[in-house]
Amino acid sequence: MRSYSIVLLSAVLLTFGATNLAAQTTEPKTVLHVVTVAWKEEAKPEQIKAALDGVKALPKAYKGITRVWIKSIKVQGGKANAFVMEFADEQALKDYADSDAQKEWYKLYLPIRKESTTFDITN
């Protein structure tokens, strides 16, 4: 009977631990910076590619960016592309504003951006 109780208690604890782990992984504390963009009509395909490749290079230039996504599968609302930057936390996003990495990337991005919409999302 005692070994049965130990096994049952172990199963309950494992289930509780797995549930807590699942909750933690589905509600990360990172910040997603989601941008949809419409390009200027005169923007050349190679300029757009350079701007998106610049997003891909940002994690190396700014340590607060952990991951990026640049391949748009579906974009609505008159925009041509969307990209996402994942920041380590809200402070990393705040510190990115006017950082050297942002200023350097803006040299590629701002001259060809017609308009953009940004969403910053976290838990």
Side-chain angles (χ1 to χ4, degrees):
M1 179 71 173
R2 182 170 184 200
S3 63
Y4 176 76
S5 297
I6 291 172
V7 170
L8 183 60
L9 179 61
S10 296
V12 169
L13 291 174
L14 284 172
T15 301
F16 180 73
T19 302
N20 278 345
L21 182 60
Q24 290 172 1
T25 58
T26 60
E27 295 186 16
K29 297 302 178 197
T30 57
V31 176
L32 296 180
H33 179 69
V34 181
V35 180
T36 60
V37 61
W39 307 107
K40 292 180 180 176
E41 289 186 28
E42 63 270 17
K44 296 178 174 72
E46 58 270 15
Q47 289 176 296
I48 294 169
K49 182 180 181 331
L52 293 173
D53 286 347
V55 173
K56 225 174 9 179
L58 281 169
K60 290 180 184 171
Y62 181 75
K63 67 177 180 173
I65 298 174
T66 58
R67 289 180 249 186
V68 296
W69 293 261
I70 64 164
K71 182 180 176 184
S72 300
I73 296 173
K74 179 180 179 180
V75 183
Q76 297 177 320
K79 302 296 197 292
N81 290 90
F83 55 86
V84 178
M85 300 176 199
E86 183 177 18
F87 287 84
D89 53 32
E90 287 186 59
Q91 191 60 51
L93 173 63
K94 289 176 186 175
D95 293 344
Y96 173 70
D98 294 321
S99 68
D100 290 342
Q102 184 190 50
K103 289 176 185 174
E104 194 62 32
W105 176 66
Y106 270 8
K107 291 177 185 176
L108 299 169
Y109 176 64
L110 291 181
I112 61 171
R113 182 191 73 177
K114 179 180 177 182
E115 67 179 20
S116 62
T117 305
T118 302
F119 302 89
D120 295 323
I121 306 161
T122 193
N123 286 304

